Amino acid sequence: MAQALVIGAGPAGLMAAEEIARAGHKVTVVEAKPSAARKFLMAGKSGLNLTKNEPRETLIRAYSEASDWLAPMIAECDADMVQDWARGLGQTLFTGSTGRVFPNEMKASPLLRAWLARLDQMGVQRYTRWRWAGWSDAALRFETPDGMQELRPDSTVLALGGASWSRLGSDGAWAPLLAAKGVELTPFAPANAGLQVEWSDHMRAQFGQPIKGVALVAGGQVTRGEAVISARGLEGGGIYQICKQVREGADLTIDLLPDLSLEEVTRRLARPRGKASLSNHLRKALKLGSVRNALLMEFGRPLPNGAEDLSRIIKGLPVRHTGLRPMDEAISTAGGVSRDAVDDQLMLRALPGMFCAGEMLDWEAPTGGYLLTACFATGRWAGRAAARWLDSRS
């Protein structure tokens, strides 16, 4: 059907297809779901955060352990490039106060429609409801509405996603297929996931409330990001930023007064309280507010009477939890195709001519534009590498 095949029509796969077509090669995209980029569309419902408008070096550091090998890919597809690309699709953009970049319309659907129209104009063929089922000798096999189909492309880009939000297509079902071919994989794990907390009844009044003015601390990572109390635990960007540390076993604490030193909190608590109860004394001396006070009572009781001991609790409130939410509820996943399984062009060492892109690679990053940026960047990199592979064989 075509010289190049892209399996997976999410952001990474579509970017790879665009690059291959731009290089003058025929390319076909196949997608297991009835329509393209379902997770992309779902993420865009709350505001499509395309990238983070910050210096390239800062952007790259967000990928922690993967930053070294992702660096050249991000360098060629950084925040400026992503914005230029989106504007080229007719999107007007704005940058929020935190540096996050959004389309003015906020939604993902207008951008996706424009992108698919461009790919159509470039001659990219697309087939939906085509689920990859592995190999038959050298041919790639697909379950389709018309029965089992086989393709023999000259080059393939896999952009099959991670293992979260399976109903949208990222189910990790590809992992056993690659493992059987000798591809080294890292086990999947939840990333950017909420924290499960079994609240006592007194916390019900706080469900849905944001936690403001605190710092979350885990494994040396400190964040002042947002968090929300939900019926199931703690959610939000602040929690997602320390997700990796919690997943690896680090204790999580909350500094309820990060702008005050331990000494200052102790000094305020040491003021004479007269006949005031401890709760009233706390309210007047520290002005914690209802949410922070509720957290203190939830995780800190029985509260010590001494000012210094109580200050230590307030500055490092231990959070009792039962771990992260299930992986399928996570925004993204760690794990997947290991770094050692691919070369510098993202080609699988065990399967020459087959490249990988997007969340199926073993990297993770916090929310805030970093996830999409790396999907675009690895898709672009893999697509260009696949085009060079085709050039070398023409």
Side-chain angles (χ1 to χ4, degrees), residues 63-378:
Y63 302 96
S64 57
E65 289 90 344
S67 59
D68 287 345
W69 63 273
L70 286 178
M73 305 173 206
I74 302 295
E76 290 195 6
C77 189
D78 60 9
D80 289 337
M81 183 274 165
V82 171
Q83 291 177 83
D84 289 344
W85 168 82
R87 292 188 185 103
L89 288 169
Q91 304 301 298
T92 53
L93 310 175
F94 73 93
T95 301
S97 59
T98 61
R100 298 182 179 192
V101 178
F102 301 87
N104 281 3
E105 294 184 72
M106 294 296 286
K107 299 177 182 179
S109 51
L111 186 150
L112 180 60
R113 284 195 298 271
W115 196 2
L116 294 177
R118 173 191 282 179
L119 294 175
D120 289 344
Q121 292 171 0
M122 297 174 78
V124 174
Q125 293 181 300
R126 284 183 286 119
Y127 295 89
T128 57
R129 296 186 174 89
W130 278 51
R131 176 171 288 276
W132 184 39
W135 286 266
S136 175
D137 295 325
L140 293 163
R141 302 175 72 242
F142 296 88
E143 298 169 358
T144 81
D146 298 317
M148 196 65 72
Q149 302 287 331
E150 295 185 359
L151 300 179
R152 297 174 181 269
D154 297 313
S155 183
T156 302
V157 176
L158 301 177
L160 292 157
S164 65
W165 294 20
S166 58
R167 64 190 178 87
L168 301 178
S170 297
D171 57 12
W174 50 266
L177 302 178
L178 291 184
K181 290 288 188 178
V183 175
E184 182 181 342
L185 303 176
T186 303
F188 290 118
N192 295 300
L195 197 66
Q196 299 183 113
V197 179
E198 296 179 357
W199 300 113
S200 58
D201 287 341
H202 92 96
M203 289 297 294
R204 290 182 180 275
Q206 307 302 329
F207 291 171
Q209 293 299 311
I211 306 172
K212 298 181 179 180
V214 305
L216 303 168
V217 184
Q221 177 79 9
V222 181
T223 175
R224 298 286 294 266
E226 64 192 44
V228 175
I229 299 172
S230 75
R232 301 189 299 176
L234 295 171
E235 309 279 349
I239 295 297
Y240 304 154
Q241 288 179 43
I242 47 83
C243 178
K244 180 177 184 292
Q245 288 74 21
V246 171
R247 187 181 72 224
E248 293 176 348
D251 293 331
L252 172 62
T253 61
I254 302 177
D255 184 345
L256 295 175
L257 292 168
D259 295 323
L260 297 180
S261 67
L262 176 66
E263 293 74 19
E264 176 60 19
V265 176
T266 303
R267 186 187 67 80
R268 295 187 184 191
L269 288 175
R271 294 171 183 166
R273 75 188 205 197
K275 296 181 179 180
S277 66
L278 178 57
S279 59
N280 279 333
H281 182 56
L282 282 169
R283 179 175 57 81
K284 292 178 180 178
L286 301 178
K287 297 179 173 57
L288 290 176
S290 62
V291 173
R292 288 184 292 179
N293 186 68
L295 291 171
L296 177 61
M297 297 302 170
E298 178 72 6
F299 297 128
R301 288 185 298 185
L303 297 178
N305 284 317
E308 186 171 347
D309 289 341
L310 182 53
S311 296
R312 293 187 186 282
I313 293 292
I314 290 169
K315 293 290 292 178
L317 183 66
V319 176
R320 294 187 298 273
H321 61 85
T322 57
L324 300 175
R325 296 296 306 166
M327 185 161 60
D328 196 47
E329 296 179 19
I331 291 175
S332 59
T333 48
V337 176
S338 75
R339 171 66 183 94
D340 292 338
V342 294
D343 64 14
D344 290 342
Q345 302 305 306
L346 297 182
M347 185 171 72
L348 289 167
R349 299 182 191 277
L351 298 166
M354 181 169 279
F355 302 80
C356 292
E359 285 192 54
M360 68 181 297
L361 292 164
D362 182 19
W363 58 269
E364 63 179 303
T367 56
Y370 302 111
L371 294 171
L372 268 180
T373 298
C375 286
F376 292 141
T378 55

